[in-house]
Amino acid sequence: MSVRMTIGPGRAPDAVRPVLLPLAVFAGIRALCLAVLAGWAYASDRSARELLSMRWDSLWYVRVVEHGYDFTLTAPDGRVLSDMAFFPLLPWLERTVTALTSLGPADAGLLISAVASMAAAWGIFRLVEHFYGSRTALFTVALWAALPVSIVQSMAYSESLFVALSAWALYAATVRRNWPLAGLLASLAGLTRPVGLAVTAAVWVAAALAWRELAEPGASGHSAARKRILLGAALAPLGAAGYILWVGQRTGSLLGYLDVQGAWGNGFDGGLAFARFTGGLITGPTPFAGVALLVGVLLLLRLCWACVRQGQPLPWLVYGGIVVALALCSSGYFGSKPRLLMPAFPLLVPLAAALARTRAAAAWAVISAAAAIAAVYGAFWLHGSGPP
C-alpha cells in the first residue's frame, strides 16, 4: 500500500512529513549512538573520530585510496593478507571526495557513510511503504537504525553504501520496474561487497517474474519491455564479475579472488566452522554463551520464516535469504557475523508490522529501548580489541 498526499493550500507540512519523518527518526537514533560513543571516548581519553574511521577495515580502504591495490600484510601465522579482499567502490568514492574537498580519505569515508546511511534509510522506507504502508515502513527504518551493531552505519565501512544500493535496486525492480536502473544499482552493489550476489539474484528473480507476466494473455509491449528486462539482467552482475576477473588477472588465477579470501579465512563451508565454534562454546567453559548463540540463530531462522509467511515479494526473500546464508555459512571471523547480517533488512519487516499494530506509546518505548542498547553496545564494541 502506498501513501499519496495532495499538496494544496495549507498542506505543505503534510506533504513534507512523509519525507522527513523516517529520516528524522533515523538521524535521531544515529545521533544518540554517536553521542554515547563520543562521551565514552572522551572518558577513555580516545578519539571517537579515529574509532569510526581509522580502525580495522577502514584502514584497508584508506590504504587502497593512497596506494592502490598493492598492499599485503603477513599475519603471525604466516598468511599473506591482501587488500584485494576489499571491493573498490568505497575507496573509489573516498578518492573522489578527497580530490574534490579538503578531507582526507578517512574523513571522506565518514562523510560517504553518513550520506549513504540516510539514502539507505529512505530507500528502505520507500520500498516497505509501497507494500506494507507508511507505519510499518517507519518502524522498519527505526529498527534498522537501532540494531545492536548499527554503529557500523556511521563508520567508514561499506555497509551503509551497500544497503543504500540494495534497497534502491529492490525498489527499482519490484516497484518501479525500471530494469536498467535496477541492473545498474545491482552492479554497483556488486562493486561494494561480495554479498552483492544477493542483489544480482534478487534482480534476476524480479526480471524472470516480469518476463513471465509478458507471456500472459493480453500483455502488450512485449518487444520493448523484454529488451529492458534483458538489459537490467545483463547489467546486474557486471560489477562483481568485473572485479573478480580483475583480481584473477592480477593473481594469475581465474579463481584468484577465492584464494585472496581464503587467506583471510573467509571461505564458504556451509556453516561447518560456525557449527564447530558454537559447539565449542557449549561444551567449553562458556556454555551459556554457546546456548545464547544457538538461540540467536534459531530466532534468526524464525524471522526468515516469518518473512515467508508475511508474503514478502520473492525478490526480497531471495535477497534476504542469500545475505543470511552467506553470513552464517562462511568460515570468517565469528564476531563479524552480526555486521554481515545487517544488510538483511527485510527480516525486520515482520517485527515492524507487529509494532505498527501496537499502541504508539508501547511501540516507541520498544524502539527507544533498542536505540539505548545499540548506543551503549556500539560504544563498548568500538572500544574493544576485535573488529566488528
Side-chain angles (χ1 to χ4, degrees), residues 6 9 15 191 209 226 299 344 361:
T6 302
L191 282 170
L209 294 175
R226 282 176 172 162
L299 290 176

Side-chain angles (χ1 to χ4, degrees), residues 98-355:
T98 298
L100 296 176
T101 69
S102 60
L103 296 175
D107 291 329
L110 291 180
L111 176 61
I112 292 165
S113 186
V115 174
S117 66
M118 294 292 282
W122 181 231
I124 292 171
F125 178 83
R126 289 295 302 274
L127 182 64
V128 178
E129 178 197 33
H130 180 82
F131 291 97
Y132 296 103
S134 58
R135 186 170 170 81
T136 296
L138 178 61
F139 282 119
T140 303
V141 170
L143 287 171
W144 188 69
L147 289 173
V149 296
S150 62
I151 192 64
V152 175
Q153 297 165 10
S154 300
M155 296 177 67
Y157 269 42
S158 60
E159 269 75 11
S160 290
L161 177 61
F162 177 78
V163 174
L165 293 168
S166 301
W168 285 108
L170 288 173
Y171 182 81
T174 61
V175 179
R176 302 297 297 178
R177 300 293 186 96
N178 187 332
W179 302 109
L181 178 60
L184 176 61
L185 293 172
S187 185
L188 291 174
L191 282 170
T192 306
R193 297 189 60 79
V195 75
L197 166 67
V199 191
T200 295
V203 170
W204 278 350
V205 169
L209 294 175
W211 187 278
R212 188 176 65 179
E213 288 177 6
L214 293 177
E216 296 178 356
S220 60
H222 290 60
S223 178
R226 282 176 172 162
K227 287 179 181 178
R228 290 193 295 270
I229 292 172
L230 289 174
L231 177 58
L235 286 173
L238 292 184
Y243 181 68
I244 290 172
L245 289 174
W246 178 82
V247 173
Q249 187 273 329
R250 287 286 298 267
T251 59
S253 168
L254 184 62
L255 301 179
Y257 178 74
L258 297 180
D259 296 333
V260 169
Q261 287 286 9
W264 281 84
N266 291 331
F268 186 88
D269 63 359
L272 292 178
F274 188 38
R276 287 195 294 267
F277 176 77
T278 305
L281 290 177
I282 293 175
T283 59
T286 56
F288 177 77
V291 172
L293 182 57
L294 182 60
V295 170
V297 172
L298 293 176
L299 290 176
L300 179 66
L301 297 178
R302 177 67 179 84
L303 272 181
C304 293
W305 177 241
C307 293
V308 176
R309 295 195 60 184
Q310 191 182 32
Q312 289 187 9
L314 183 58
W316 294 23
L317 298 176
V318 169
Y319 168 77
I322 292 177
V323 171
V324 171
L326 291 178
L328 295 184
C329 297
S330 65
S331 57
Y333 176 61
F334 301 106
S336 294
K337 291 190 181 295
R339 171 174 66 89
L340 299 179
L341 287 166
M342 194 174 66
F345 61 85
L347 272 64
L348 300 174
V349 179
L351 299 176
L355 288 175

Side-chain angles (χ1 to χ4, degrees), residues 30 45 208:
R30 300 283 3 104
D45 196 27

